[in-house]
């Protein structure tokens, strides 16, 4: 995990064959510039970055569902609950499940666990659109390799 550059998912662990759920993981780094101000002497992962980790997990699932033909953009965070502090060195077990898809939107239920215990959860809504102009899709495909996303199983050739 490199939160200072918004790389929140270290590895895609599993995607179910029906493309309804995904599991990822992200190791909160021992040291990061985000901890300098959050909080000095008592470093904790900012809640907004926990939500980002859940959003990125869901993003990988949405990319798989549409075979990398469109890009998901976080649109709404609903019912977010931050249950406990997350500190450097902890491994986040990230899960997402699609609840609804239609009219260019996807709704998902997400959660993060540490050692099987809930840390946070949220319902997230994404807008799914054509890729923006430029190299964004190429960059995402390179990140997919880094996080061990099984691109060959899901991307259109």
């Amino acid at each position: 995990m490199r939160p200072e550059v918004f790389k929140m998912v270290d590895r895609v662990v599993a995607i179910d064959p029906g493309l309804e759920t995904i599991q990822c993981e992200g190791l909160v780094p021992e040291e990061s510039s985000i901890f300098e101000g959050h909080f000095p002497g008592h470093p904790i992962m900012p809640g907004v970055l926990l939500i980002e980790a859940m959003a990125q997990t869901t993003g990988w699932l949405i990319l798989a569902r549409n075979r990398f033909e469109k890009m998901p953009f976080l649109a709404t965070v609903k019912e977010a609950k931050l249950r406990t502090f997350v500190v450097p060195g902890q491994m986040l077990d990230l899960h997402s499940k699609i609840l609804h898809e239609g009219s260019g939107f996807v709704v998902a239920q997400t959660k993060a666990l540490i050692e099987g215990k809930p840390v946070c959860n949220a319902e997230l809504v994404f807008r799914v659109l054509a890729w923006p102009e430029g190299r964004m899709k190429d960059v995402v495909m390179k990140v997919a390799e880094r996080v061990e996303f099984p691109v060959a199983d899901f991307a259109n050739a």
Side-chain angles (χ1 to χ4, degrees):
M1 182 180 286
R2 294 187 51 219
E4 60 280 349
V5 291
F6 283 78
K7 291 183 180 176
M8 309 304 292
V9 170
D10 289 325
R11 187 168 76 94
V12 174
V13 175
I15 302 174
D16 85 282
L19 298 177
E20 298 294 324
T21 64
I22 189 170
Q23 178 185 3
C24 296
E25 62 185 17
L27 178 63
V28 179
E30 289 289 341
E31 293 188 26
S32 173
S33 60
I34 64 163
F35 300 131
E36 291 172 19
H38 203 269
F39 293 97
H42 183 68
I44 61 171
M45 186 76 164
V48 70
L49 293 180
L50 293 171
I51 292 169
E52 178 66 20
M54 293 186 297
Q56 287 184 20
T57 296
T58 307
W60 288 115
L61 181 57
I62 295 169
L63 285 166
R65 286 173 70 95
N66 69 55
R67 307 193 79 63
F68 282 78
E69 290 300 313
K70 294 184 178 181
M71 177 73 189
F73 294 90
L74 182 61
T76 306
V77 177
K78 295 171 138 181
E79 304 294 323
K81 294 184 178 134
L82 305 172
R83 300 176 182 283
T84 189
F85 295 124
V86 174
V87 298
Q90 291 184 306
M91 178 66 77
L92 290 173
D93 181 20
L94 302 155
H95 297 261
S96 184
K97 178 180 179 172
I98 301 297
L99 300 177
H100 174 76
E101 182 173 15
S103 302
F105 289 90
V106 174
V107 180
Q109 186 63 48
T110 64
K111 64 184 176 182
L113 310 168
I114 294 177
E115 296 178 0
K117 295 179 181 158
V119 172
C120 58
N121 62 284
E123 183 176 297
L124 304 177
V125 179
F126 292 80
R127 182 76 168 112
V128 183
L129 300 167
W131 287 94
E133 294 295 321
R135 338 175 291 130
M136 189 171 196
K137 184 174 181 179
D138 293 335
V139 170
V140 169
M141 296 304 277
K142 285 182 179 146
V143 173
E145 286 181 36
R146 180 185 59 81
V147 300
E148 301 174 31
F149 186 93
V151 173
D153 295 343
F154 300 104
N156 284 332

